[in-house]
Amino acid sequence: MCGIIGIVTGKSVAAGLISSLKLLEYRGYDSAGIATLQNGNIWRERAAGKLENLEQKIKEVGVVDGGIGIGHTRWATHGAPTEVNAHPHIVDNVVLVHNGIIENYQELREELLASNAKIMSDTDTEIIGHLISRQLKINDDIEIAIKTVVAKLRGAFALAIMIKGQEDLLIGARQGCPLAVGIGDVEGHYIGSDALALSPFSRQIIYLEEGDLVFASTNSYKIFDKSHNEVTRQVNHIEVQNAAMDKGNHKHFMAKEFFEQPDVINHTLAHYIDLESNKITIDAKLDITKFDRIIIVSCGTAYYAAMVGKYWLENSTNMAVEVDVASEFRYRNPPLNDKCLFIVVSQSGETADSLAALRLAKQKGCTTAAVVNVATSTMAREADIILPTFAGTEICVASTKGFICQISVLATLSIGLGLQTGQLNQDDAIKMTQELAQLPRLINQCFEVESDVIELANDIAKVEHVLFLGRHTSYPIAMEGALKLKEITYIHAEGYAAGELKHGPIALIDEKMPLIIIAPDNAVYEKTRSNIEEIAARGGDITVFTSESRAKEIQKLGLKAIALPDCSEFVSAFVYTIPVQLLAYHTAVHMGTDVDQPRNLAKSVTVE
Ligand code: F6R
């Protein structure tokens, strides 16, 4: 949440700040701003809304460029997304940008108000500016001032700070939110929320650790750890592909990304399965005989991936598999020990709640694994075992290819661990890997339902509520379908276990209630069909996503059916993900909402 960039090169930095903010906009787009220092002055420009508003404003008023600058793209936490609350904030000589939340902000604000501080915005960030400014008035040693103020802050944050008159000093602080330092390919130093933000300037990246402070100039930098000792941190060589920032022939990143799914499934599976020999390779540290239970924790779409994984893992290992949302898991004092295999699932690898859950599990002695897409992320660095997904950079805020890669990893894991437990034999494993190998072809066939889904989307665009239903792995897919629809169309949608409807939600059914029912031809098809008939009897407006072989029988009941390719029970979660993604996308396109950057959201949720 929120993207930050800082540049110190001694040469013009404004264009670099803007190009980096373009790469950071996925982290939030409520407002944007940049500031530079030059000849003892501060120049700053900010605008509410997307980065293009800031660019337009700068075009009109002109730039006052400098050799040092900071920039920010905001996902609002404290204070409305207005220009006054946009970063950078200036307090006397202090200019700063911030990602995260200061939890003791109210108490610090009251303290400042009591000493007559003039607070201009509703943000917690400005409070930090006042504290630094006040400290500098007591003692003008900048390092001491920063260390003193940072020690007073509670919460998770990353900061980039400049001080008026100090045109060769860029300061960064990390506590709970990611922050990286880039050593310029050509010159200077950079501070940014992630390697992507630094990619236009630097391939040599240092990931700051919790509590680290960095003081960088054009020619040097020093890092202090949380005890304020100067430390050396590892420099990583990173290649970040900017090609991902191009929509290709598509109108939206979401379309580009879901049409990439056959390829990214292939890349991800190829990391774990040798499709010639059907041999699965998983990390040697994943020895299932050491564990008596598996816990999978994640948020949002990644949580639904984890739920799909639970069905597969329980079936293939006969072990208890618990799944929880990270924001609940971390505060419910779960019993954990070294017999637990803890798996976090995260596209970004930075989600604050999932990261905290991972740390809790580590601290309590679990072996930890991260199913993660960003190989340089904090979770990838901190987990004992990395289970990478190969989705490539996902730009659209709504995850599509990230999800399909997460379930690809969980599917291979369920085969690999199933073999270890003896619950699966070689023949079962070969059959399952062969089914996975069919996926790129099957998914391409699924795209053929697009025109039917567009027709349905045109109807859905007119309604206010939608229910998605499914059983077994189609239940999390129903929830994922509902989440995708809500987040990009703002239509209220819920996903339910089809068998659960009669315990309450069936009261919602009338002829105005559209229901999308996910009913692959599997062991629970007959049960789902009974649920379909219960709803039909009450006049619900039903569309069934089902197999080619079952579609006709549904149509005979006088109901709408969209036919997906016939597939095995194991891979049906992949196949039925496609129509729910397409439905959300085409409904959003029909309604004209902002598909790639829906309101109120951000790609990387680094606050809790
Ligand atoms: C929805 C979506 C979010 C994320 C969630 C976790 O389309 O993308 O629900 O899945 O914020 O993010 P990661 O996977 O980065 O931990």
Side-chain angles (χ1 to χ4, degrees), residues 299-302 345-349 351 397-399 406 483-484 487 605:
C299 302
T301 284
V345 182
S346 175
Q347 188 284 126
S348 62
T351 302
V397 165
S399 181
Q406 287 163 350
L483 175 63
K484 242 22 11 137
E487 70 179 323
V605 186

Side-chain angles (χ1 to χ4, degrees), residues 6-26:
I7 305 179
V8 56
T9 57
K11 310 229 172 93
S12 306
V13 297
L17 292 173
I18 295 286
S19 61
S20 183
L21 289 183
K22 284 190 179 142
L23 299 172
L24 282 169
E25 214 182 1
Y26 76 94

Side-chain angles (χ1 to χ4, degrees), residues 1 298-304 344-352 354-355 371-374 379 394 396-400 402-403 406 480 483-484 487-488 601-605:
M1 321 243 87
S298 41
C299 302
T301 284
Y303 170 65
Y304 300 137
V344 67
V345 182
S346 175
Q347 188 284 126
S348 62
E350 300 293 352
T351 302
S354 303
L355 180 59
V371 177
V372 70
N373 193 43
V374 180
M379 285 182 219
E394 197 178 49
C396 176
V397 165
S399 181
T400 52
F403 173 80
Q406 287 163 350
E480 170 60 2
L483 175 63
K484 242 22 11 137
E487 70 179 323
I488 64 170
L601 291 172
K603 186 76 186 157
S604 182
V605 186

